[in-house]
Amino acid sequence: MASTCYKLLFNFILFIFTLSPTSSHPLDPLCPEELTLVRTIVTYSTSNNDIIFSYVALDEPDKPLVLYWLSNPTSPPPPRRALAITRFDKETHEFIVDLSTQSIISDKLVCDDQGYPTLTLGERTEVSLLPYAYGPFIESMTRRGLNSSAAICSAYTLGWFGQDKTKRNVKLQCFYLNNGSVNFYAFPIEGIWMIANLDKMEIVEYSDRHAKPIPKSEGTDYRFSEQKPPFGPRINPAANCQPDGPGIQILGHMVRWGNWKLHVSFDARAGQIISTALIYDEECQRYRSVLYRGYVSELFVPYMDPTLGRFSDTFFDAGEYGLGYNAVSLEPSTDCPNNAMFMDGYYASDDGLPVIVPRAICLFERYAGDIMWRHTETAIPSTIINEVRPDRSLVIRMVATVGYYDYIFDSEFKPDGSINMEVGLTGILAIKATEYTNNLQIEKEIYGPLVSENSIGLNHDHFFMYRLDFDVDGIHNSMVKRKLVTERNRNSDTPRKSYWTVISETPKTESEANFQYGLDPVQVLIVNPNKKTRLGNNHGYRLLPASFIHPLLTENDYPQIRAAFTENDVWITPYNKSEKWASGWYADRSRGQDTLAAWSRRDREIDNKDIVLWHLMGLHHVPSQEDYPIMPTLKARFELHPNNYFERNPVLKLIPT
């Protein structure tokens, strides 16, 4: 024990001297040296070598300190601190670590009834190996005529269904490597209910019910090398040529492109985070603030099979698994075009040591033949005018593969000041094996369509909740609801009978602001009531939603209680540093007591305050045969567009190529 403590102390001293004294930006993610320092400090303070690091990240500095530093970059940066959520002695602890003084500021014990931390990759791997040495599972495989060594098992969260007490348990779902096909998700081993405890690392519950046939392997492999003629059309190579070099400048995590300046970082839970986005206004010759912080706060994926083996498949992909933990290395010229630039990502593994995700984020300039603005004029005698500006944009991309699905997260910035957020969904369906091979045989509810023989593609939803901390020309902002209302024409001078007009209202509290889009046209703006254009309009940004999704589970269903934040398309809350995750800090087996919906019930003031816009988008997915064996990409998106933010068209004087 003494030698272990001396070794930890030596590592602690070593990293004090190797750690860079300051960060180049207060919101930079923890670098590998800082991650290792956090591990050393926490492990040394607890004297526990079995500690599990569930989530280690920057403890975000208070916003006023960051804004002050940004306006006075020669001043000392805010204190550099880290948050470490750990698990040891079957308890969850939150540590706040001061990296400059190399000390622990706080150690908070988290009660299990609040939920459990994110599952680590190490825990998921270890628990998934348990079935191979578990006698009842081996016997079940033998009865099915299957080789247990050809099974691949995965750990899935169990959710919460009204229990007074929960344990840190997961469900183990196993699949079969069938005839060499790598698409093992296409071959679920049905009928086995297997629960394992992560604290004990042992199987604690097991039952085997009626087995279903393993689907056929023909046509399930998605690799090109395994495809057989006839083949589809050939896609000709395409390249982006930039004779003057790339237009993107990257210094650390700061990015400059066109008239934009912003910060890009990587987080184990959220994945890609965009911060301190500023746009240069040519009219007033200065950068102006738009977005302080924006990211995917949660991704809720409930499956619609309520039967015993599948009812618990209601996943919070960010809170339970971590989008950053599941980020993949992007492939040049395929995941991203040939003109892309890359950033690596780092997170702490379950033992606290840093793990690199090479090329976790790519940044590239997009030109797909779109038009920024144009006009052709032929009404002037002897004159034809054609003025066209080709569109350009900066795309920041990350891909996370969470179990079945691959999610492509794009943040796109345009010269006109608009920001597009888009998610592409591809990957593999959740398949349930069945005895049916044709729709004519089906006599009962099977909770999804047949997508292949003996294969059901289960119905499910994808709810993406974005947290968007707007700072439209400053931190004091308001929400404006613009309702488009039909009016009768009372002017007898014309034969028109009707028109529509705009009725605007400014909600004062959260309950007045939160709403779900319906049939009536409503527009949402975030404005600065203290800043006006020369014409007297408030500087603002407008939300343009494109992918509506409303929950279809009953309000008293347990997954919906945990995901009550999906009840509204728009939420407005006052800025609160701790209110980061729509599903709460501890999503695994949570009970819905620490969510966006719970915070908002306080009905706080939001008018002319530092406010946060939460926007929900997503898809109800009824699978089809085209989604099998691997899905073409579906997309969900929304846009944030300037609304009287500029005095006139901000790209009018853009220099043509």
Side-chain angles (χ1 to χ4, degrees):
M1 179 64 182
S3 62
T4 301
C5 288
Y6 281 121
K7 184 177 180 181
L8 288 171
L9 181 59
F10 173 79
N11 288 336
F12 173 81
I13 295 171
L14 175 64
F15 279 102
I16 289 176
F17 286 102
T18 57
L19 187 65
S20 58
T22 60
S23 169
S24 58
H25 191 288
L27 297 178
D28 279 356
L30 299 181
C31 66
E33 293 80 11
E34 289 174 318
L35 291 170
T36 308
L37 180 57
V38 172
R39 174 184 186 267
T40 303
I41 294 171
V42 172
T43 306
Y44 181 72
S45 70
T46 60
S47 300
N48 192 317
N49 291 326
D50 296 325
I51 188 169
I52 295 172
F53 290 83
S54 299
Y55 176 64
V56 181
L58 175 73
D59 181 40
E60 186 179 324
D62 292 335
K63 185 174 178 180
L65 296 178
V66 176
L67 295 178
Y68 177 81
W69 183 87
L70 289 173
S71 60
N72 302 274
T74 58
S75 63
R80 186 85 170 153
R81 294 174 178 172
L83 165 69
I85 296 177
T86 64
R87 187 83 180 165
F88 61 93
D89 295 335
K90 300 180 182 179
E91 294 179 330
T92 302
H93 287 257
E94 280 182 16
F95 291 96
I96 301 295
V97 179
D98 191 309
L99 295 173
S100 18
T101 62
Q102 294 86 38
S103 61
I104 291 179
I105 297 175
S106 66
D107 172 6
K108 175 185 174 185
L109 177 65
V110 180
C111 297
D112 286 349
D113 61 4
Q114 295 184 43
Y116 298 99
T118 306
L119 276 64
T120 69
L121 296 177
E123 289 175 308
R124 290 162 55 191
T125 300
E126 184 178 355
V127 77
S128 297
L129 298 176
L130 294 178
Y132 301 115
Y134 189 65
F137 176 75
I138 297 173
E139 293 172 8
S140 294
M141 294 291 284
T142 302
R143 282 197 300 271
R144 287 167 167 77
L146 303 175
N147 185 352
S148 59
S149 64
I152 294 181
C153 299
S154 298
Y156 294 89
T157 51
L158 273 172
W160 172 74
F161 291 88
Q163 303 94 329
D164 291 333
K165 292 185 178 180
T166 59
K167 295 182 179 179
R168 199 161 181 247
N169 291 347
V170 293
K171 181 183 80 167
L172 296 177
Q173 174 70 52
C174 298
F175 308 87
Y176 200 63
L177 277 175
N178 194 15
N179 292 334
S181 173
V182 298
N183 189 0
F184 60 89
Y185 289 122
F187 315 115
I189 301 169
E190 300 288 357
I192 293 175
W193 177 258
M194 185 163 33
I195 305 300
N197 183 268
L198 290 174
D199 290 329
K200 298 178 181 179
M201 276 299 164
E202 64 180 39
I203 294 172
V204 295
E205 186 179 336
Y206 187 88
S207 64
D208 188 0
R209 302 175 307 283
H210 177 62
K212 298 290 178 67
I214 296 291
K216 298 176 182 178
S217 63
E218 184 179 358
T220 61
D221 203 315
Y222 47 80
R223 293 172 296 177
F224 184 76
S225 60
E226 299 302 312
Q227 306 309 308
K228 298 176 182 178
F231 292 103
R234 179 183 178 86
I235 300 175
N236 291 331
N240 291 294
C241 180
Q242 295 182 289
D244 298 327
I248 306 172
Q249 297 177 349
I250 301 177
L251 180 61
H253 291 271
M254 285 301 301
V255 176
R256 289 176 182 260
W257 175 83
N259 48 357
W260 283 99
K261 181 168 64 173
L262 50 92
H263 183 272
V264 180
S265 62
F266 178 87
D267 179 81
R269 181 165 176 171
Q272 169 185 295
I273 298 179
I274 307 296
S275 303
T276 60
L278 309 172
I279 189 166
Y280 192 77
D281 189 334
E282 295 289 348
E283 292 286 325
C284 54
Q285 294 286 293
R286 63 178 176 85
Y287 279 100
R288 299 168 61 193
S289 61
V290 176
L291 184 69
Y292 179 73
R293 208 123 158 97
Y295 55 87
V296 177
S297 178
E298 191 51 87
L299 168 49
F300 177 48
V301 188
Y303 283 85
M304 295 299 123
D305 186 344
T307 60
L308 184 58
R310 302 277 185 157
F311 74 94
S312 62
D313 291 354
T314 55
F315 307 123
F316 294 83
D317 282 353
E320 294 176 340
Y321 299 97
L323 300 178
Y325 280 131
N326 292 277
V328 301
S329 295
L330 300 172
E331 294 297 324
S333 297
T334 51
D335 283 320
C336 308
N338 67 301
N339 64 331
M341 305 170 75
F342 295 87
M343 286 184 179
D344 297 334
Y346 296 92
Y347 63 82
S349 63
D350 57 341
D351 62 4
L353 291 174
V355 175
I356 183 174
V357 183
R359 306 184 307 279
I361 295 172
C362 74
L363 304 92
F364 60 90
E365 293 176 271
R366 171 181 285 162
Y367 170 53
D370 294 329
I371 297 171
M372 183 183 299
W373 65 264
R374 78 169 324 280
H375 182 63
T376 296
E377 184 57 69
T378 59
I380 302 173
S382 305
T383 303
I384 296 178
I385 297 173
N386 274 310
E387 284 286 320
V388 184
R389 301 293 183 270
D391 204 3
R392 298 285 192 277
S393 60
L394 167 68
V395 179
I396 305 167
R397 173 173 295 169
M398 192 200 84
V399 174
T401 301
V402 189
Y404 310 108
Y405 268 89
D406 294 61
Y407 296 103
I408 307 161
F409 298 99
D410 282 359
S411 301
E412 184 176 14
F413 293 80
K414 295 196 168 188
D416 66 358
S418 61
I419 305 171
N420 297 339
M421 298 292 186
E422 182 176 273
V423 182
L425 300 87
T426 178
I428 298 172
L429 296 172
I431 296 296
K432 183 176 181 179
T434 179
E435 64 273 19
Y436 300 128
T437 59
N438 190 281
N439 279 323
L440 298 177
Q441 302 168 341
I442 300 173
E443 299 177 346
K444 60 180 182 179
E445 174 67 77
I446 60 173
Y447 312 110
L450 282 178
V451 293
S452 184
E453 293 183 357
N454 305 118
S455 301
I456 301 168
L458 292 174
N459 297 329
H460 60 281
D461 300 319
H462 298 270
F463 294 90
F464 300 92
M465 177 58 80
Y466 275 77
R467 181 184 186 271
L468 302 163
D469 181 3
F470 271 104
D471 281 356
V472 177
D473 252 348
I475 64 171
H476 292 99
N477 290 174
S478 297
M479 176 203 192
V480 173
K481 283 184 185 177
R482 289 200 305 210
K483 298 180 180 180
L484 278 57
V485 179
T486 300
E487 296 282 358
R488 292 185 179 275
N489 180 27
R490 304 186 186 283
N491 185 345
S492 59
D493 294 341
T494 72
R496 280 285 297 273
K497 296 183 181 297
S498 64
Y499 64 99
W500 61 258
T501 189
V502 177
I503 299 177
S504 296
E505 62 180 48
T506 301
K508 304 300 182 184
T509 65
E510 292 173 273
S511 62
E512 297 175 8
N514 306 333
F515 79 100
Q516 188 179 87
Y517 283 102
L519 296 178
D520 295 330
V522 178
Q523 297 180 354
V524 172
L525 289 82
I526 302 297
V527 305
N528 188 325
N530 314 294
K531 302 285 182 69
K532 298 183 183 295
T533 65
R534 288 193 293 267
L535 301 181
N537 293 311
N538 290 327
H539 296 176
Y541 259 75
R542 178 184 163 197
L543 170 67
L544 280 76
S547 305
F548 296 111
I549 183 171
H550 297 160
L552 298 175
L553 299 178
T554 59
E555 289 185 3
N556 65 344
D557 199 355
Y558 295 104
Q560 187 57 36
I561 292 172
R562 300 172 68 213
F565 56 85
T566 63
E567 293 172 2
N568 289 315
D569 299 307
V570 172
W571 303 74
I572 301 291
T573 61
Y575 170 81
N576 185 319
K577 172 183 164 181
S578 67
E579 295 178 359
K580 299 179 65 172
W581 312 112
S583 58
W585 277 91
Y586 298 94
D588 181 26
R589 312 218 73 179
S590 62
R591 306 180 186 186
Q593 73 274 47
D594 177 32
T595 67
L596 170 59
W599 313 328
S600 192
R601 283 197 289 268
R602 286 175 277 180
D603 202 19
R604 296 161 291 185
E605 293 183 0
I606 57 168
D607 184 25
N608 204 6
K609 304 287 185 182
D610 188 0
I611 58 175
V612 176
L613 165 69
W614 305 75
H615 178 52
L616 182 74
M617 71 172 188
L619 298 165
H620 297 296
H621 191 180
V622 180
S624 65
Q625 290 182 229
E626 289 85 353
D627 295 332
Y628 188 86
I630 195 163
M631 276 178 53
T633 301
L634 296 174
K635 292 185 178 181
R637 66 189 301 273
F638 65 91
E639 182 175 341
L640 307 170
H641 199 274
N643 193 93
N644 298 319
Y645 186 83
F646 300 101
E647 292 292 340
R648 58 177 178 171
N649 181 349
V651 290
L652 179 66
K653 298 180 181 180
L654 191 76
I655 301 172
T657 54

